Amino acid sequence: MSTYTTYNQVGKKEDVSDIISNISPFATPCIAMFKDEKVSARTFSFLEDSLADSAVNAVVEGADASMATLTDATERTNNTQIMSKAFQVSATADAVATYGRAKETAHQLAKKLKEIKKDYERAMVGVEQAAVAGNATTARKMTSLLNQISTAVDAGSNATDALTESKLLVAGQTAYDNGSDVDTFMIKPADAQIVAGFSAASGRNREISQGKTLVNAIDLYVSPYGEYRVVLNRELKTTHALLIDPTMFKTCTLRPFTRTLLAKNGDSDRHHIVGEVSCKHTNFGDSVKITGLS
């Protein structure tokens, strides 16, 4: 008599994990670090100013007052940019039992919100984008933060060069001389290995504990000009590194992101997520960007 096995069995229950794994990166350091500010117009303005350079300041006894020449503040502007995602889910897709999510609509909504945050981060630091006023056929665009940092240090004499500690120090000195209180060094993931290698420079000691964990990373870099927290950003333009003071940057919101259920035109639901946002660097002379990186 033959043995009955699962190879002959009909109606076996499937074994599907009730967890959906998503490894797509969605961290957005700039959105997390910068404070948000409400704006009330699609084109908004802000002012920046600076002090006169130090000079010899001595007057004779009894001298008349000498009136200084005053300078106006500089007006800066930026546009808001409309960002949106739309998706459509059939009624049946929400009704059937699924693994890893209670309803398909909720799962897709969470994905689209993360995708919009990535798009927003990229618009700020992933592209060198000039403002576009827009019209009935052209989408309005904001000026990226990369275009709002006026102080730049070239990585080297070639078209592109690797990040070096010496260039970080040049950027740090430049920021210090300009009066910037920078404390964050933002880099692309590939440059994290270079920064970790700073500790291996000749004449430099590194403290190794007796534990079983091997650490090959630098989270805080202490320079002659201040301490810099090292932050990785997957969306940062690969030719750039930023030495910034996060308190000098703002995300700006004209319309917060909301989800609207569009009119039904069949056996499905159509969802539209839309918001209108921008960004600003409160003083373009603050912070430093290292450009021309390989």
Side-chain angles (χ1 to χ4, degrees):
M1 182 175 67
S2 60
T3 301
Y4 182 74
T5 68
T6 57
Y7 296 106
N8 309 110
Q9 194 175 28
V10 177
K12 295 186 293 294
K13 187 175 180 179
E14 294 182 0
D15 182 3
V16 180
S17 173
D18 204 27
I19 298 175
I20 298 176
S21 298
N22 185 347
I23 65 167
S24 299
F26 65 89
T28 51
C30 290
I31 294 175
M33 284 192 298
F34 302 159
K35 289 186 177 181
D36 188 63
E37 182 175 285
K38 179 69 176 176
V39 295
S40 57
R42 68 185 191 189
T43 298
F44 57 95
S45 302
F46 49 101
L47 301 176
E48 66 177 46
D49 209 344
S50 60
L51 302 177
D53 293 336
S54 58
V56 175
N57 192 335
V59 296
V60 299
E61 185 176 335
D64 290 337
S66 177
M67 297 298 105
T69 300
L70 302 181
T71 58
D72 289 332
T74 301
E75 182 178 7
R76 304 288 191 183
T77 63
N78 204 356
N79 298 329
T80 55
Q81 183 170 323
I82 301 170
M83 297 184 177
S84 73
K85 292 273 186 178
F87 64 97
Q88 187 171 4
V89 177
S90 73
T92 304
D94 260 347
V96 297
T98 54
Y99 292 102
R101 66 273 195 203
K103 280 196 171 185
E104 191 63 37
T105 293
H107 177 62
Q108 295 299 332
L109 176 61
K111 284 178 59 179
K112 296 305 176 190
L113 287 171
K114 290 178 179 178
E115 291 169 4
I116 286 178
K117 285 183 67 178
K118 289 174 59 180
D119 294 343
Y120 189 6
E121 186 87 4
R122 182 181 183 277
M124 288 193 288
V125 296
V127 291
E128 292 182 279
Q129 177 175 288
V132 177
N135 53 43
T137 58
T138 303
R140 188 165 57 253
K141 290 184 178 180
M142 63 172 131
T143 303
S144 68
L145 290 179
L146 295 186
N147 285 33
Q148 296 183 51
I149 300 175
S150 60
T151 306
V153 171
D154 197 297
S157 58
N158 299 311
T160 59
D161 294 273
L163 176 66
T164 62
E165 186 175 7
S166 64
K167 288 300 180 181
L168 171 57
L169 291 172
V170 170
Q173 181 180 354
T174 302
Y176 184 84
D177 289 342
N178 290 346
S180 299
D181 190 19
V182 294
D183 62 11
T184 300
F185 186 41
M186 186 174 292
I187 56 175
K188 64 178 183 285
D191 284 342
Q193 297 182 45
I194 295 176
V195 174
F198 290 174
S199 62
S202 176
R204 184 171 296 173
N205 297 322
R206 188 171 186 176
E207 185 176 314
I208 304 296
S209 67
Q210 297 301 315
K212 296 181 179 180
T213 302
L214 175 63
V215 178
N216 186 29
I218 293 179
D219 297 322
L220 183 69
Y221 180 85
V222 181
S223 81
Y225 311 105
E227 298 182 356
Y228 309 142
R229 183 166 58 103
V230 180
V231 174
L232 274 62
N233 192 335
R234 297 183 183 96
E235 301 299 329
L236 179 64
K237 189 174 182 179
T238 58
T239 55
H240 285 57
L242 305 179
L243 191 57
I244 62 173
D245 174 4
T247 65
M248 298 293 288
F249 295 84
K250 308 285 185 185
T251 55
C252 302
T253 302
L254 178 60
R255 292 186 290 154
F257 288 101
T258 56
R259 188 246 331 228
T260 302
L261 187 62
L262 301 180
K264 290 180 72 72
N265 64 352
D267 188 27
S268 63
D269 287 327
R270 299 185 300 156
H271 303 264
H272 186 215
I273 306 166
V274 64
E276 192 162 355
V277 293
S278 188
C279 59
K280 75 176 184 181
H281 184 194
T282 56
N283 193 302
F284 284 22
D286 165 75
S287 300
V288 179
K289 56 186 176 184
I290 301 176
T291 60
L293 293 173
S294 56

PDB file of all heavy atoms in Angstrom, residues 189-215:
ATOM      1  N   PRO A 189      26.722  58.652   1.198  1.00  0.00           N
ATOM      2  CA  PRO A 189      27.159  57.407   1.853  1.00  0.00           C
ATOM      3  C   PRO A 189      28.556  56.951   1.446  1.00  0.00           C
ATOM      4  O   PRO A 189      29.314  56.461   2.296  1.00  0.00           O
ATOM      5  CB  PRO A 189      26.090  56.393   1.430  1.00  0.00           C
ATOM      6  CG  PRO A 189      24.865  57.224   1.211  1.00  0.00           C
ATOM      7  CD  PRO A 189      25.366  58.519   0.629  1.00  0.00           C
ATOM      8  N   ALA A 190      28.922  57.105   0.179  1.00  0.00           N
ATOM      9  CA  ALA A 190      30.232  56.638  -0.276  1.00  0.00           C
ATOM     10  C   ALA A 190      31.370  57.376   0.410  1.00  0.00           C
ATOM     11  O   ALA A 190      32.457  56.816   0.601  1.00  0.00           O
ATOM     12  CB  ALA A 190      30.352  56.780  -1.794  1.00  0.00           C
ATOM     13  N   ASP A 191      31.147  58.617   0.805  1.00  0.00           N
ATOM     14  CA  ASP A 191      32.201  59.405   1.457  1.00  0.00           C
ATOM     15  C   ASP A 191      32.350  59.051   2.934  1.00  0.00           C
ATOM     16  O   ASP A 191      33.298  59.510   3.588  1.00  0.00           O
ATOM     17  CB  ASP A 191      31.932  60.904   1.301  1.00  0.00           C
ATOM     18  CG  ASP A 191      32.265  61.407  -0.101  1.00  0.00           C
ATOM     19  OD1 ASP A 191      32.991  60.702  -0.812  1.00  0.00           O
ATOM     20  OD2 ASP A 191      31.791  62.496  -0.475  1.00  0.00           O
ATOM     21  N   ALA A 192      31.427  58.259   3.477  1.00  0.00           N
ATOM     22  CA  ALA A 192      31.541  57.853   4.879  1.00  0.00           C
ATOM     23  C   ALA A 192      32.801  57.022   5.104  1.00  0.00           C
ATOM     24  O   ALA A 192      33.431  57.100   6.162  1.00  0.00           O
ATOM     25  CB  ALA A 192      30.303  57.067   5.296  1.00  0.00           C
ATOM     26  N   GLN A 193      33.187  56.218   4.105  1.00  0.00           N
ATOM     27  CA  GLN A 193      34.404  55.416   4.235  1.00  0.00           C
ATOM     28  C   GLN A 193      35.642  56.315   4.264  1.00  0.00           C
ATOM     29  O   GLN A 193      36.611  56.034   4.981  1.00  0.00           O
ATOM     30  CB  GLN A 193      34.492  54.432   3.074  1.00  0.00           C
ATOM     31  CG  GLN A 193      33.358  53.426   3.036  1.00  0.00           C
ATOM     32  CD  GLN A 193      33.504  52.442   1.888  1.00  0.00           C
ATOM     33  OE1 GLN A 193      34.584  51.916   1.643  1.00  0.00           O
ATOM     34  NE2 GLN A 193      32.408  52.196   1.176  1.00  0.00           N
ATOM     35  N   ILE A 194      35.611  57.392   3.486  1.00  0.00           N
ATOM     36  CA  ILE A 194      36.739  58.331   3.489  1.00  0.00           C
ATOM     37  C   ILE A 194      36.851  59.014   4.843  1.00  0.00           C
ATOM     38  O   ILE A 194      37.935  59.131   5.416  1.00  0.00           O
ATOM     39  CB  ILE A 194      36.572  59.363   2.362  1.00  0.00           C
ATOM     40  CG1 ILE A 194      36.634  58.667   0.992  1.00  0.00           C
ATOM     41  CG2 ILE A 194      37.644  60.443   2.457  1.00  0.00           C
ATOM     42  CD1 ILE A 194      36.374  59.597  -0.180  1.00  0.00           C
ATOM     43  N   VAL A 195      35.713  59.458   5.378  1.00  0.00           N
ATOM     44  CA  VAL A 195      35.725  60.125   6.682  1.00  0.00           C
ATOM     45  C   VAL A 195      36.188  59.153   7.769  1.00  0.00           C
ATOM     46  O   VAL A 195      36.948  59.524   8.667  1.00  0.00           O
ATOM     47  CB  VAL A 195      34.330  60.691   7.007  1.00  0.00           C
ATOM     48  CG1 VAL A 195      34.293  61.255   8.418  1.00  0.00           C
ATOM     49  CG2 VAL A 195      33.955  61.783   6.003  1.00  0.00           C
ATOM     50  N   ALA A 196      35.747  57.887   7.689  1.00  0.00           N
ATOM     51  CA  ALA A 196      36.205  56.890   8.665  1.00  0.00           C
ATOM     52  C   ALA A 196      37.715  56.710   8.595  1.00  0.00           C
ATOM     53  O   ALA A 196      38.373  56.447   9.606  1.00  0.00           O
ATOM     54  CB  ALA A 196      35.502  55.561   8.413  1.00  0.00           C
ATOM     55  N   GLY A 197      38.286  56.890   7.399  1.00  0.00           N
ATOM     56  CA  GLY A 197      39.726  56.747   7.220  1.00  0.00           C
ATOM     57  C   GLY A 197      40.526  57.904   7.773  1.00  0.00           C
ATOM     58  O   GLY A 197      41.758  57.798   7.891  1.00  0.00           O
ATOM     59  N   PHE A 198      39.873  59.010   8.145  1.00  0.00           N
ATOM     60  CA  PHE A 198      40.599  60.130   8.749  1.00  0.00           C
ATOM     61  C   PHE A 198      41.337  59.686  10.010  1.00  0.00           C
ATOM     62  O   PHE A 198      42.391  60.220  10.355  1.00  0.00           O
ATOM     63  CB  PHE A 198      39.643  61.266   9.122  1.00  0.00           C
ATOM     64  CG  PHE A 198      39.056  62.016   7.955  1.00  0.00           C
ATOM     65  CD1 PHE A 198      38.076  62.985   8.163  1.00  0.00           C
ATOM     66  CD2 PHE A 198      39.463  61.775   6.647  1.00  0.00           C
ATOM     67  CE1 PHE A 198      37.522  63.693   7.099  1.00  0.00           C
ATOM     68  CE2 PHE A 198      38.907  62.470   5.575  1.00  0.00           C
ATOM     69  CZ  PHE A 198      37.940  63.425   5.811  1.00  0.00           C
ATOM     70  N   SER A 199      40.773  58.709  10.704  1.00  0.00           N
ATOM     71  CA  SER A 199      41.366  58.273  11.976  1.00  0.00           C
ATOM     72  C   SER A 199      42.672  57.522  11.786  1.00  0.00           C
ATOM     73  O   SER A 199      43.425  57.320  12.737  1.00  0.00           O
ATOM     74  CB  SER A 199      40.380  57.378  12.734  1.00  0.00           C
ATOM     75  OG  SER A 199      40.101  56.202  11.975  1.00  0.00           O
ATOM     76  N   ALA A 200      42.971  57.088  10.551  1.00  0.00           N
ATOM     77  CA  ALA A 200      44.184  56.310  10.289  1.00  0.00           C
ATOM     78  C   ALA A 200      45.355  57.187   9.866  1.00  0.00           C
ATOM     79  O   ALA A 200      46.411  56.676   9.496  1.00  0.00           O
ATOM     80  CB  ALA A 200      43.904  55.262   9.210  1.00  0.00           C
ATOM     81  N   ALA A 201      45.173  58.488   9.890  1.00  0.00           N
ATOM     82  CA  ALA A 201      46.249  59.389   9.467  1.00  0.00           C
ATOM     83  C   ALA A 201      47.474  59.212  10.360  1.00  0.00           C
ATOM     84  O   ALA A 201      47.365  58.876  11.539  1.00  0.00           O
ATOM     85  CB  ALA A 201      45.770  60.837   9.509  1.00  0.00           C
ATOM     86  N   SER A 202      48.648  59.440   9.788  1.00  0.00           N
ATOM     87  CA  SER A 202      49.911  59.282  10.514  1.00  0.00           C
ATOM     88  C   SER A 202      49.956  60.183  11.741  1.00  0.00           C
ATOM     89  O   SER A 202      49.561  61.353  11.686  1.00  0.00           O
ATOM     90  CB  SER A 202      51.082  59.599   9.583  1.00  0.00           C
ATOM     91  OG  SER A 202      52.309  59.548  10.262  1.00  0.00           O
ATOM     92  N   GLY A 203      50.425  59.614  12.860  1.00  0.00           N
ATOM     93  CA  GLY A 203      50.562  60.391  14.087  1.00  0.00           C
ATOM     94  C   GLY A 203      49.285  60.547  14.866  1.00  0.00           C
ATOM     95  O   GLY A 203      49.235  61.268  15.863  1.00  0.00           O
ATOM     96  N   ARG A 204      48.216  59.879  14.454  1.00  0.00           N
ATOM     97  CA  ARG A 204      46.930  60.003  15.126  1.00  0.00           C
ATOM     98  C   ARG A 204      46.594  58.697  15.826  1.00  0.00           C
ATOM     99  O   ARG A 204      46.711  57.624  15.246  1.00  0.00           O
ATOM    100  CB  ARG A 204      45.846  60.360  14.101  1.00  0.00           C
ATOM    101  CG  ARG A 204      44.471  60.600  14.690  1.00  0.00           C
ATOM    102  CD  ARG A 204      43.538  61.166  13.640  1.00  0.00           C
ATOM    103  NE  ARG A 204      43.980  62.483  13.184  1.00  0.00           N
ATOM    104  CZ  ARG A 204      43.419  63.139  12.169  1.00  0.00           C
ATOM    105  NH1 ARG A 204      42.448  62.584  11.478  1.00  0.00           N
ATOM    106  NH2 ARG A 204      43.870  64.325  11.822  1.00  0.00           N
ATOM    107  N   ASN A 205      46.208  58.758  17.077  1.00  0.00           N
ATOM    108  CA  ASN A 205      45.874  57.573  17.860  1.00  0.00           C
ATOM    109  C   ASN A 205      44.369  57.418  17.955  1.00  0.00           C
ATOM    110  O   ASN A 205      43.621  58.392  17.962  1.00  0.00           O
ATOM    111  CB  ASN A 205      46.461  57.662  19.271  1.00  0.00           C
ATOM    112  CG  ASN A 205      47.983  57.697  19.255  1.00  0.00           C
ATOM    113  OD1 ASN A 205      48.615  57.019  18.447  1.00  0.00           O
ATOM    114  ND2 ASN A 205      48.560  58.501  20.149  1.00  0.00           N
ATOM    115  N   ARG A 206      43.944  56.157  18.040  1.00  0.00           N
ATOM    116  CA  ARG A 206      42.529  55.851  18.184  1.00  0.00           C
ATOM    117  C   ARG A 206      42.355  54.895  19.347  1.00  0.00           C
ATOM    118  O   ARG A 206      43.046  53.883  19.438  1.00  0.00           O
ATOM    119  CB  ARG A 206      41.974  55.225  16.906  1.00  0.00           C
ATOM    120  CG  ARG A 206      40.458  55.049  16.919  1.00  0.00           C
ATOM    121  CD  ARG A 206      39.973  54.637  15.554  1.00  0.00           C
ATOM    122  NE  ARG A 206      38.528  54.593  15.479  1.00  0.00           N
ATOM    123  CZ  ARG A 206      37.844  54.332  14.378  1.00  0.00           C
ATOM    124  NH1 ARG A 206      38.494  54.099  13.246  1.00  0.00           N
ATOM    125  NH2 ARG A 206      36.545  54.301  14.390  1.00  0.00           N
ATOM    126  N   GLU A 207      41.443  55.205  20.242  1.00  0.00           N
ATOM    127  CA  GLU A 207      41.240  54.381  21.420  1.00  0.00           C
ATOM    128  C   GLU A 207      40.400  53.165  21.065  1.00  0.00           C
ATOM    129  O   GLU A 207      39.291  53.276  20.538  1.00  0.00           O
ATOM    130  CB  GLU A 207      40.545  55.194  22.518  1.00  0.00           C
ATOM    131  CG  GLU A 207      40.399  54.475  23.832  1.00  0.00           C
ATOM    132  CD  GLU A 207      39.792  55.360  24.891  1.00  0.00           C
ATOM    133  OE1 GLU A 207      40.234  56.521  25.010  1.00  0.00           O
ATOM    134  OE2 GLU A 207      38.866  54.906  25.580  1.00  0.00           O
ATOM    135  N   ILE A 208      40.917  51.977  21.350  1.00  0.00           N
ATOM    136  CA  ILE A 208      40.226  50.723  21.069  1.00  0.00           C
ATOM    137  C   ILE A 208      39.914  50.052  22.400  1.00  0.00           C
ATOM    138  O   ILE A 208      40.805  49.785  23.191  1.00  0.00           O
ATOM    139  CB  ILE A 208      41.081  49.777  20.197  1.00  0.00           C
ATOM    140  CG1 ILE A 208      41.503  50.478  18.896  1.00  0.00           C
ATOM    141  CG2 ILE A 208      40.330  48.494  19.901  1.00  0.00           C
ATOM    142  CD1 ILE A 208      40.380  50.843  17.975  1.00  0.00           C
ATOM    143  N   SER A 209      38.635  49.761  22.630  1.00  0.00           N
ATOM    144  CA  SER A 209      38.253  49.102  23.878  1.00  0.00           C
ATOM    145  C   SER A 209      38.537  47.611  23.790  1.00  0.00           C
ATOM    146  O   SER A 209      38.903  47.078  22.741  1.00  0.00           O
ATOM    147  CB  SER A 209      36.762  49.335  24.159  1.00  0.00           C
ATOM    148  OG  SER A 209      35.979  48.672  23.177  1.00  0.00           O
ATOM    149  N   GLN A 210      38.355  46.916  24.910  1.00  0.00           N
ATOM    150  CA  GLN A 210      38.618  45.486  24.964  1.00  0.00           C
ATOM    151  C   GLN A 210      37.392  44.655  24.564  1.00  0.00           C
ATOM    152  O   GLN A 210      37.404  43.447  24.695  1.00  0.00           O
ATOM    153  CB  GLN A 210      39.049  45.102  26.396  1.00  0.00           C
ATOM    154  CG  GLN A 210      40.340  45.764  26.846  1.00  0.00           C
ATOM    155  CD  GLN A 210      41.515  45.429  25.946  1.00  0.00           C
ATOM    156  OE1 GLN A 210      41.704  44.269  25.588  1.00  0.00           O
ATOM    157  NE2 GLN A 210      42.285  46.433  25.567  1.00  0.00           N
ATOM    158  N   GLY A 211      36.366  45.278  24.111  1.00  0.00           N
ATOM    159  CA  GLY A 211      35.171  44.542  23.715  1.00  0.00           C
ATOM    160  C   GLY A 211      35.350  43.796  22.413  1.00  0.00           C
ATOM    161  O   GLY A 211      36.413  43.797  21.790  1.00  0.00           O
ATOM    162  N   LYS A 212      34.265  43.155  21.967  1.00  0.00           N
ATOM    163  CA  LYS A 212      34.303  42.339  20.756  1.00  0.00           C
ATOM    164  C   LYS A 212      33.734  43.070  19.551  1.00  0.00           C
ATOM    165  O   LYS A 212      33.551  42.481  18.486  1.00  0.00           O
ATOM    166  CB  LYS A 212      33.529  41.037  20.984  1.00  0.00           C
ATOM    167  CG  LYS A 212      34.147  40.141  22.064  1.00  0.00           C
ATOM    168  CD  LYS A 212      33.351  38.845  22.222  1.00  0.00           C
ATOM    169  CE  LYS A 212      33.990  37.949  23.274  1.00  0.00           C
ATOM    170  NZ  LYS A 212      33.233  36.681  23.444  1.00  0.00           N
ATOM    171  N   THR A 213      33.422  44.340  19.702  1.00  0.00           N
ATOM    172  CA  THR A 213      32.843  45.111  18.613  1.00  0.00           C
ATOM    173  C   THR A 213      33.928  45.924  17.916  1.00  0.00           C
ATOM    174  O   THR A 213      34.675  46.669  18.564  1.00  0.00           O
ATOM    175  CB  THR A 213      31.754  46.066  19.134  1.00  0.00           C
ATOM    176  OG1 THR A 213      30.747  45.304  19.796  1.00  0.00           O
ATOM    177  CG2 THR A 213      31.124  46.849  17.976  1.00  0.00           C
ATOM    178  N   LEU A 214      34.011  45.763  16.591  1.00  0.00           N
ATOM    179  CA  LEU A 214      34.961  46.548  15.804  1.00  0.00           C
ATOM    180  C   LEU A 214      34.233  47.773  15.260  1.00  0.00           C
ATOM    181  O   LEU A 214      33.242  47.643  14.541  1.00  0.00           O
ATOM    182  CB  LEU A 214      35.522  45.712  14.652  1.00  0.00           C
ATOM    183  CG  LEU A 214      36.447  46.454  13.676  1.00  0.00           C
ATOM    184  CD1 LEU A 214      37.692  46.949  14.406  1.00  0.00           C
ATOM    185  CD2 LEU A 214      36.829  45.563  12.498  1.00  0.00           C
ATOM    186  N   VAL A 215      34.725  48.943  15.599  1.00  0.00           N
ATOM    187  CA  VAL A 215      34.092  50.190  15.170  1.00  0.00           C
ATOM    188  C   VAL A 215      34.965  50.854  14.116  1.00  0.00           C
ATOM    189  O   VAL A 215      36.147  51.101  14.358  1.00  0.00           O
ATOM    190  CB  VAL A 215      33.888  51.146  16.366  1.00  0.00           C
ATOM    191  CG1 VAL A 215      33.267  52.453  15.894  1.00  0.00           C
ATOM    192  CG2 VAL A 215      33.016  50.491  17.426  1.00  0.00           C
TER     193      VAL A 215
END
